Amino acid sequence: EPEVTQTPSHQVTQMGQEVILRCVPISNHLYFYWYRQILGQKVEFLVSFYNNEISEKSEIFDDQFSVERPDGSNFTLKIRSTKLEDSAMYFCASSADINGLETQYFGPGTRLLVL
Amino acid sequence: RKEVEQDPGPFNVPEGATVAFNCTYSNSASQSFFWYRQDCRKEPKLLMSVYSSGNEDGRFTAQLNRASQYISLLIRDSKLSDSATYLCVVNLNNDMRFGAGTRLTVKP
């Protein structure tokens, strides 16, 4: 069964550093997403991406964040100048529009710890 | 009002019990609805989509009432493996909003 993959599984970084989180969506999917989940809290939408551009973003997704699809398979989330409160699990997801419904498949996540 | 609100839980039930989860959403323009389950420290996994006509998948039944902006999930004959957090998810224009989740523990 196809699946979304993410690397690295864990990332530890110093406050102020930049991190890049990587995702490989399911190959025939057209829509890509990033979410974060702070420990013990709910999953929060960050951004959706379609046709090589951002289609929606939340209030969390400010200038500190950027996304890119650098080639035909990878989808990345860059976090510049990381802050302590960026520590969270970051999930990538992808979906194909099936019969007008969006169903998203999540990757296993990258656990980011900012020290 | 929260965008997606769920029963706070936790629900602790014996094996074989029937348990129901409720969810309400605030944006009447929401387009599609889902239940996901999330195991501890794992990614959310799609359990089922939710349709206005109601839908069933084995022991799981989901209902949507658009007029009341209400979604439900019924689990019959619960198994130990059903223990997880159940997330109500509402989608509008590719912006998926999650409820805080309801934790279910099924005990022997």
Side-chain angles (χ1 to χ4, degrees):
Chain A
E1 184 178 331
E3 57 183 20
V4 177
T5 60
Q6 291 185 242
T7 55
S9 58
H10 294 78
Q11 173 101 42
V12 181
T13 190
Q14 295 289 325
M15 192 169 58
Q17 297 296 305
E18 174 182 286
V19 295
I20 297 177
L21 310 182
R22 291 184 166 80
C23 170
V24 179
I26 293 172
S27 62
N28 64 341
H29 283 185
L30 304 175
Y31 299 86
F32 314 113
Y33 311 83
W34 282 102
Y35 296 85
R36 78 172 185 191
Q37 188 174 30
I38 295 169
L39 188 64
Q41 299 187 23
K42 67 176 183 178
V43 176
E44 297 174 294
F45 169 77
L46 292 177
V47 65
S48 59
F49 191 86
Y50 170 69
N51 200 26
N52 285 318
E53 60 184 26
I54 291 173
S55 52
E56 292 288 334
K57 61 181 181 179
S58 73
E59 56 278 3
I60 301 169
F61 194 88
D62 59 20
D63 292 343
Q64 186 194 4
F65 296 89
S66 62
V67 289
E68 191 178 30
R69 189 154 162 82
D71 54 44
S73 59
N74 290 287
F75 179 51
T76 63
L77 174 69
K78 182 187 291 186
I79 309 175
R80 287 180 282 276
S81 187
T82 48
K83 305 189 286 282
L84 297 177
E85 54 265 37
D86 294 327
S87 295
M89 181 74 97
Y90 287 82
F91 293 109
C92 173
S94 69
S95 69
D97 192 349
I98 303 169
N99 297 323
L101 296 174
E102 295 286 340
T103 55
Q104 298 187 14
Y105 295 87
F106 283 72
T110 294
R111 186 170 295 281
L112 175 66
L113 178 60
V114 182
L115 301 176
Chain B
R1 183 179 172 186
K2 292 181 184 177
E3 290 174 308
V4 181
E5 197 155 4
Q6 295 185 239
D7 287 343
F11 284 61
N12 299 305
V13 303
E15 266 187 295
T18 295
V19 60
F21 301 138
N22 302 315
C23 172
T24 57
Y25 60 95
S26 60
N27 192 334
S28 59
S30 298
Q31 298 162 317
S32 50
F33 310 88
F34 309 91
W35 284 100
Y36 279 73
R37 70 170 278 168
Q38 187 175 29
D39 294 289
C40 189
R41 294 180 179 270
K42 297 285 188 180
E43 74 274 22
K45 291 191 176 179
L46 180 67
L47 182 64
M48 57 198 305
S49 303
V50 189
Y51 307 113
S52 296
S53 55
N55 48 302
E56 189 173 310
D57 183 3
R59 298 181 293 109
F60 300 85
T61 301
Q63 296 277 353
L64 165 65
N65 184 323
R66 283 188 182 268
S68 303
Q69 295 176 211
Y70 169 88
I71 304 160
S72 66
L73 176 68
L74 185 74
I75 306 176
R76 288 180 299 277
D77 188 24
S78 50
K79 313 289 185 194
L80 297 176
S81 57
D82 293 335
S83 297
T85 297
Y86 289 82
L87 308 175
C88 175
V89 185
V90 174
N91 183 26
L92 174 60
N93 296 327
N94 282 327
D95 180 344
M96 299 268 277
R97 297 287 166 152
F98 285 71
T102 302
R103 179 171 290 180
L104 172 66
T105 301
V106 181
K107 299 186 174 180

